[in-house]
Amino acid sequence: MEPGGGDGRAVPGVGHVRVDGGGRAHESRGEAEAWEHAYPADELMPLTCRGRVRGQEPSRGDVDDALGKFSLTLIDSLDTLVVLNKTKEFEDAVRKVLRDVNLDNDVVVSVFETNIRVLGGLLGGHSLAIMLKEKGEYMQWYNDELLQMAKQLGYKLLPAFNTTSGLPYPRINLKFGIRKPEARTGTETDTCTACAGTLILEFAALSRFTGATIFEEYARKALDFLWEKRQRSSNLVGVTINIHTGDWVRKDSGVGAGIDSYYEYLLKAYVLLGDDSFLERFNTHYDAIMRYISQPPLLLDVHIHKPMLNARTWMDALLAFFPGLQVLKGDIRPAIETHEMLYQVIKKHNFLPEAFTTDFRVHWAQHPLRPEFAESTYFLYKATGDPYYLEVGKTLIENLNKYARVPCGFAAMKDVRTGSHEDRMDSFFLAEMFKYLYLLFADKEDIIFDIEDYIFTTEAHLLPLWLSTTNQRVSKKNTTSEYTELDDSNFDWTCPNTQILFPNDPLYAQSIREPLKNVVDKSCPRGIIRVEESLRSGAKPPLRARDFMATNPEHLEILKKMGVSLIHLKDGRVQLVQHAIQAASSIDAEDGLRFMQEMIELSSQQQKEQQLPPRAVQIVSHPFFGRVVLTAGPAQFGPDLSKHKETRGFVASSKPYNGCSELTNPEAVMGKIALIQRGQCMFAEKARNIQNAGAIGGIVIDDNEGSSSDTAPLFQMAGDGKDTDDITIPMLFLFSKEGGIILDAIREYEEVEVLLSDKAKDRDPEMENEEQPSSENDSQSAEQIASRSQEIDLVDQESPEESSVNSHPEALSPVDTDSAASVSSSEQDSNPMENLETTSLDGECTDLDNQLQEQPETEEDSNPNVSWGKKAQPIDSILADWNEDIEAFEMMDKDEL
């Protein structure tokens, strides 16, 4: 840890990113590793120390649409190098882009991602290249080459706008465009609001830089169409829209995934382009957001037609950008409130889960190292000057170094609850996270240019504000009469000046944060409904789902009044069906809709509570020191690792390896954790056999060679139908690929120690300091084994990346009048969630009786031989990096602010 600038602030290091006493940024290992191990691939795979090339790795669905074989990470992080004062490296990187990058690849990419990451990256690089050239020391050879590449890419994206609405297709083929047979795209009908509404900054900047007005015209037309299609009574927009008809496909509205940057670009388009219409639109939307979506400190999605009714009871991580946008807007109090709530969630889980409920439980457990919270932290510090936000930034950096740092970079978290990793480092980590964290701690003199002369795009690329007065040749639509007159302070006509707008007093922000400091630890009500603002004028709902009993006559009478009727099924259960037109009044119909929504949400939550969470296998011996974490499937027998102390011990293979008979090598497994192969007998039988031989725990490795958490759901081992109380040792399950990591470690090191626990534990700094790699072979072998570390997906985890770009799967939502919804409950049990079957409000049936776990079977035809798996490909020249990483980790553990 080294001192920052003149005010004595310390700048903790992300990896090896540090600032010395003179404000100079030392080498950014994150970027160096991306280039060393991955170039010219689009992204770095930090666990396997290689590049991610589309088509050469298993498909990840829509998330791969960001990859276009155009060195994505290199382009996306160009201006980050200049912010870090790495001007020589920036110049070298620009030369690499001009020499190696091809934009004419036969690959289908996301228009949205390509715009914000690649087009924005080229424009940000160009902006700072011409700035450096004017300074006279660097880039003297530069002649707008990056701008010419940006223009070429802009023309490649234009065919996507060939729709009747002007909204772009969500995907395009870089080589063949849209709708041609060889293009393999152009049949889509829907796009997300953010996908169509996050183009104006990059496209307008391209027009202003080049004088070609067509780009700004197309982006403006898309924004105009979205504005015209807003829901007029609420002034809200939905998540997805039909690009041909303009009909809303998903009618829920929030500030997170699917909509987020649409609002951001309305305000920033006003700042960059000086067009009052963009500010008018933003203010109209902002008033609606604060009226309906903002439920301090929460931001909850609502229905655009019924904005008093919440669409879901969970929030996604992308909304973490909103406090930063509120700072730019000048609305500081709600920004502080929401940011503090998010920080409390981070302190509970180390990272912000992809989605979390209103009572702050994990909804989606992944965390792909998103930068939005760091972005808001930076802007709040600029606005308030409160050193509290430096402490927040310190926490972010420490968590990154402690939990996400791996030998070749920073790995996304597959599960924040267990600490397991995913072989993924998105380009936005270097483009945004590094940039915002550096700027948070940097003094003005640490940056070689005036950051106030630029605006940040949604990907944190820098565009100069002087573009507002350059090449203004685009005709502007006169839409003044379309705006709602609002009698509030939202319609200020100036950009906020942080020197006079906010009280530069740390106690101001502290007074707002204080009531929220324990908000996550308190029990928040489920399904927050603002009844006091609804038609009931403050009256309580007549019946809540959590109180409902199918055998209570009073409850049945209330249901009838709300238009909810009971249908008796042949299997003894009852089904609840709601028809709004059968309700006694419109108010009762609203109550009925709310009751059905609560019932479905309660069912989903209780089902998740009944499922066993994943467990962790952590290799803690030299030279891993806990850096390799494997997510393991739990067992329904043996001690519960969440309630009992973790088990730590050396591993040993059992003989026979299938563990289906008395072990012939009890001396080898005595006091150790036994490795067993799946197959030929029941899991409980394997557990008893190794327990009788003296093992303190067991790891069952899948016998299906090549099985991996990348392609299979988490496996949960069940008992044999008999009493399993006699099993007293913990048992965990690993797929073949993950198990192979441990087997390879045994081959290389013989003595391999692991920790079986409910989640990953902190690394032991004393062990790292005492034991150093003894040879070059040790270093390289550890790297190869670590490179196989791919973790397990959760049982019921939905992957947000597998839905449309920048959006999440649909939540259950109430329907319009006379739409049917049903919830079934056991008549014999007072618990309404017992043996539930629900029909979602859009009519799709879901059987909630089935647990997402694999049931025990007697397994036959399994190979009894040991399956050692295949060795990972050797990684060249890693010895120096490995030793350097060991030293870096020692420093990370010793450093204090």
Side-chain angles (χ1 to χ4, degrees), residues 128-144:
L128 297 188
I130 58 178
M131 178 273 298
L132 290 172
K133 184 177 181 179
E134 290 175 358
K135 286 181 175 290
E137 183 176 356
Y138 294 96
M139 303 299 293
Q140 295 306 298
W141 55 270
Y142 182 70
N143 192 28
D144 295 349

Side-chain angles (χ1 to χ4, degrees), residues 658-661 679-683 685-686 689 857-859:
N658 57 37
C660 291
S661 60
Q680 296 189 319
C681 64
M682 308 296 286
F683 294 118
E685 183 178 349
K686 298 174 188 288
N689 287 332
E857 293 180 1
T858 300
E859 302 169 44

